[in-house]
Amino acid sequence: MAQSDWDHCRREARRLESEIETKLVAYSKFSANYRQSASESALLLSAAPSAPAHDSSVSSVSSPSAGSSHLPDPSAGAVPASPFSGQEHINATMSLEIERCLERLAEVNAELNHLLSGPESRRSAQLMPLLLHHRSKLHDYQTDFRTTKENINRTRDHAELLMTVREDINQFKNTSASSRAETLLRERNALHSSGRAVDDLIEHAVSTRDHLSNQKSRLQSSFAQVNTFGGAFSGIQGLLSGIRTRTMRDKVILAMLVATCICFLLWWGL
C-alpha cells in the first residue's frame, strides 16, 4: 500500500465529510423553514373566510331571478397558492448535492478499504480504526439525510392534504343555486321514473293474477268433465264385469263336463 494514496484518500474523505456536514446543517435549516411555511399556510387556510352557504335551491326553482341574486362570490374562501412552489426546486437541488457527496464519500471509503485489504498493506491493523471511523460517519450522514428528507416529504404531504380538503370544502360551498335546482330537478325526475316503474310492475302483477285466475277456471272445468266421463264409464265397467263373470262360469261348467267325461272313460276302460 502506497502511503501517498492512503493520505490522498483520507484528505478527500475529510473534505467530503466537512462538505456534507455543512450541507446537512443547511438542509436541516431548510427543513425547519419548510415546516414553518407549512404551519403558516395551515393558519391561513383555517383563517380564510368561507363562502356563505345559501339554501336557495327551492327559491331558485320557483324564482330564477331570486336565485341569481344569491350566487356566491367565486373569490370568497379562495385557497392561497401552494407555499412550496418556490421551495421544491431548492429541496431537489440540495438533496441531489448531498446524495452526490454521500456517493462520493462511499466510493472513497471503498478505496480506503481496498488499500487496506491489498497484499502490500502492512499497517492494516493500525489503520483499520480510521476506516471504521469514516464508515461510521458516512452511516450517520446517510441516516440524518434520510430523516430530514422524510420530514420534508411528510410536511409537504400534510400541507397538500389540508389544501385539497379546503378546496373541496370551498367547491362544495360555492355551488350555485342553479346547480342545486338542477340537482333537485334530476332527483324529481328520478322519483317520477321510479313511480312509473312501480306502476308498470303493479300492472304486470295484476295481469299475471288475472291470467292465473283464468287458468284455474279452465282446470276446474276440465276436472268436472273428467268426473262426468268417470260416471259414464262406471256403467260400461259394470257390463264388462258381468261379461267376465259369465265367461268364467261357462269355463267352470265346461271344465267340469270334461272332467266327468274323462272319469267315465277311465271307468269304462277298467
Side-chain angles (χ1 to χ4, degrees), residues 138-149:
L138 174 61
H139 177 72
D140 294 339
Y141 294 153
Q142 291 174 341
T143 303
D144 293 342
F145 173 66
R146 282 196 299 268
T147 302
T148 305
K149 190 173 183 180

Side-chain angles (χ1 to χ4, degrees), residues 253-266:
I253 293 173
L254 182 60
M256 293 177 64
L257 180 60
V258 171
T260 303
C261 292
I262 292 173
C263 292
F264 179 74
L265 290 175
L266 290 176

Side-chain angles (χ1 to χ4, degrees), residues 52-73 172-185:
H54 298 287
D55 189 10
S56 58
S57 57
V58 178
S59 62
S60 63
V61 176
S62 60
S63 177
S65 60
S68 60
S69 63
H70 294 286
L71 290 177
D73 186 5
F172 175 76
K173 289 183 177 180
N174 291 334
T175 303
S176 64
S178 59
S179 62
R180 292 184 181 180
E182 291 176 357
T183 302
L184 290 175
L185 184 60

Side-chain angles (χ1 to χ4, degrees), residues 3 9 21 50 62 79 112 125 148 153 182 203 214 240 267:
Q3 185 66 28
C9 289
E21 288 179 358
S50 299
S62 60
V79 180
L112 290 174
T148 305
N153 292 334
E182 291 176 357
E203 183 178 357
N214 293 332
L240 293 175
W267 176 75

Side-chain angles (χ1 to χ4, degrees), residues 70-104:
H70 294 286
L71 290 177
D73 186 5
S75 61
V79 180
S82 174
F84 310 119
S85 56
Q87 295 180 349
E88 285 300 323
H89 179 68
I90 300 175
N91 179 30
T93 302
M94 295 182 69
S95 62
L96 181 61
E97 291 178 355
I98 295 174
E99 287 175 355
R100 288 177 178 176
C101 291
L102 290 174
E103 291 176 358
R104 176 57 186 160

